[in-house]
C-alpha cells in the first residue's frame, strides 16, 4: 500500500520571493573564503533560472582556472538558508579547446528546437 503524498516543510529563511523584492540575480552571490583568494581566476559569464517555476535553482556559467589552465564551468547553484546562491556538485566543465564544439552543438540544438516549435523565440 502506498503512503499518501506529503509536502515537505519549507526551510526557515527561504521564501519564493526575496523579502526586499529583489531577485538573487540582482547581486552577485558572496564568494566563499577559498574563492575570495582566487577572484582573479574567476570570470562570470552569465546566469539564468533553471526553470520558469523554480526560483531556488539557477545555472551559472563561469570561466575558471585550474593549475593555470582555463576552462568553462557550467554549474547548478541553489538558494541556501541565508538567501544566497551557492554552487552544487551538479554541473560540468569544458576545456577551452572544446568550447567552440559545445557552442556549435548548443546552436544546433536551438535551431532544431525552434524548427520544431519548442522555443518561444524563433530564429
Amino acid at each position: 500500500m502506498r503512503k499518501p503524498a506529503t509536502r515537505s516543510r519549507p526551510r526557515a529563511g527561504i521564501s519564493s520571493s526575496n523579502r526586499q523584492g529583489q531577485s538573487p540575480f540582482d547581486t552577485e552571490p558572496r564568494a566563499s573564503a577559498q574563492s575570495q583568494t582566487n577572484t582573479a581566476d574567476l570570470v562570470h559569464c552569465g546566469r539564468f533560472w533553471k526553470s520558469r517555476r523554480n526560483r531556488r535553482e539557477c545555472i551559472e556559467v563561469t570561466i575558471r582556472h585550474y593549475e593555470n589552465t582555463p576552462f568553462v564551468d557550467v554549474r547548478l547553484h541553489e538558494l541556501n538558508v541565508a538567501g544566497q546562491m551557492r554552487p552544487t556538485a551538479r554541473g560540468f566543465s569544458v576545456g577551452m579547446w572544446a568550447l567552440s564544439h559545445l557552442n556549435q552543438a548548443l546552436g544546433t540544438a536551438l535551431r532544431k528546437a525552434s524548427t520544431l516549435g519548442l522555443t518561444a523565440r524563433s530564429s
Side-chain angles (χ1 to χ4, degrees):
M1 184 170 187
R2 294 170 122 186
K3 288 184 179 180
T6 59
R7 293 183 82 182
S8 62
R9 293 184 322 156
R11 292 184 284 178
I14 296 179
S15 64
S16 60
S17 63
N18 198 331
R19 287 179 244 261
Q20 291 89 18
Q22 295 177 338
S23 159
F25 298 124
D26 293 341
T27 59
E28 289 295 318
R30 279 193 233 164
S32 65
Q34 179 184 7
S35 64
Q36 285 178 355
T37 59
N38 299 329
T39 53
D41 294 338
L42 178 68
V43 178
H44 290 279
C45 299
R47 93 172 61 150
F48 52 92
W49 294 118
K50 183 179 175 189
S51 69
R52 291 184 203 175
R53 292 177 161 177
N54 187 352
R55 299 294 189 200
R56 298 166 81 97
E57 295 179 328
C58 73
I59 297 172
E60 185 170 320
V61 180
T62 56
I63 297 175
R64 298 178 180 271
H65 289 80
Y66 178 74
E67 295 180 355
N68 292 329
T69 304
F71 62 92
V72 174
D73 187 43
V74 180
R75 183 105 3 235
L76 180 70
H77 285 61
E78 291 181 330
L79 195 65
N80 68 5
V81 177
Q84 301 165 336
M85 298 306 281
R86 293 290 185 194
T88 66
R90 294 172 59 191
F92 65 93
S93 298
V94 176
M96 289 298 168
W97 65 272
L99 189 57
S100 62
H101 298 292
L102 176 64
N103 185 35
Q104 184 179 11
L106 290 174
T108 302
L110 179 62
R111 284 189 299 279
K112 287 183 178 184
S114 295
T115 302
L116 295 170
L118 301 174
T119 61
R121 182 183 108 188
S122 61
S123 35

